[in-house]
Amino acid sequence: MEGDAFSAFAITALRLAGHLTAAGDQLAKPAGQTSARWQVLAAARRGGTSVAQIARALGLARQGVQRLADVLESEGLIAYADNPLHQRAKLVRLTEEGAARLGVIEIAQAGWADGLGAAFTSAELDAARVVMTRVMEMLDGGEAVGG
């Protein structure tokens, strides 16, 4: 019974992820970006983070994030800086142009989120976020994988 309910939840979450990625791509498109590139730009804004740290925070493969970061760097949207803690793992930082593009996306995203968010109460959204966070923590911990 709970397994069926969880399976329905998981399918819905996967479908939602697809919809959110498509919406993110549309929000990022006027700035010449995609959802994936947007995520890396936003992570680069924090500064002092390596590609590996960004990948872990986003739950993505390091190699994929490295490819995105290299493209963003070639376009002048991020820059690599020396890492005092690790000679080979450069730190990623946002450039002025990267910050400008990110700003365009974030203005569009704020209006979009306000519009969708108005259809729900804060309590509804908080409850959904809590469940999703618990599931991610369980999966990160390797719980219940493989039966």
Side-chain angles (χ1 to χ4, degrees), residues 5-83:
F6 184 81
S7 292
F9 167 82
I11 289 166
T12 302
L14 290 168
R15 289 183 62 212
L16 175 60
H19 285 286
L20 290 173
T21 298
D25 286 343
Q26 285 303 115
L27 290 167
K29 190 175 184 176
Q33 303 305 306
T34 64
S35 290
R37 291 165 60 117
W38 171 13
Q39 290 180 67
V40 175
L41 288 172
R45 177 181 41 216
R46 290 190 285 277
T49 6
S50 68
V51 166
Q53 290 169 319
I54 291 171
R56 274 193 298 277
L58 297 176
L60 300 172
R62 187 203 58 78
Q63 295 86 347
V65 174
Q66 185 67 63
R67 282 191 293 276
L68 285 171
D70 288 345
V71 171
L72 292 169
E73 193 261 346
S74 75
E75 294 175 2
L77 303 179
I78 66 164
Y80 292 118
D82 287 336
N83 183 346

Side-chain angles (χ1 to χ4, degrees), residues 49-133:
T49 6
S50 68
V51 166
Q53 290 169 319
I54 291 171
R56 274 193 298 277
L58 297 176
L60 300 172
R62 187 203 58 78
Q63 295 86 347
V65 174
Q66 185 67 63
R67 282 191 293 276
L68 285 171
D70 288 345
V71 171
L72 292 169
E73 193 261 346
S74 75
E75 294 175 2
L77 303 179
I78 66 164
Y80 292 118
D82 287 336
N83 183 346
L85 301 176
H86 194 287
Q87 193 170 357
R88 289 189 330 198
K90 301 286 185 196
L91 299 177
V92 179
R93 68 170 181 79
L94 201 56
T95 64
E96 275 188 49
E97 179 62 24
R101 301 270 187 103
L102 186 57
V104 167
I105 298 167
E106 289 178 334
I107 289 168
Q109 189 274 339
W112 174 82
D114 286 346
L116 282 176
F120 304 93
T121 67
S122 292
E124 287 175 312
L125 293 171
D126 287 344
R129 183 183 45 76
V130 165
V131 169
M132 292 180 1
T133 300

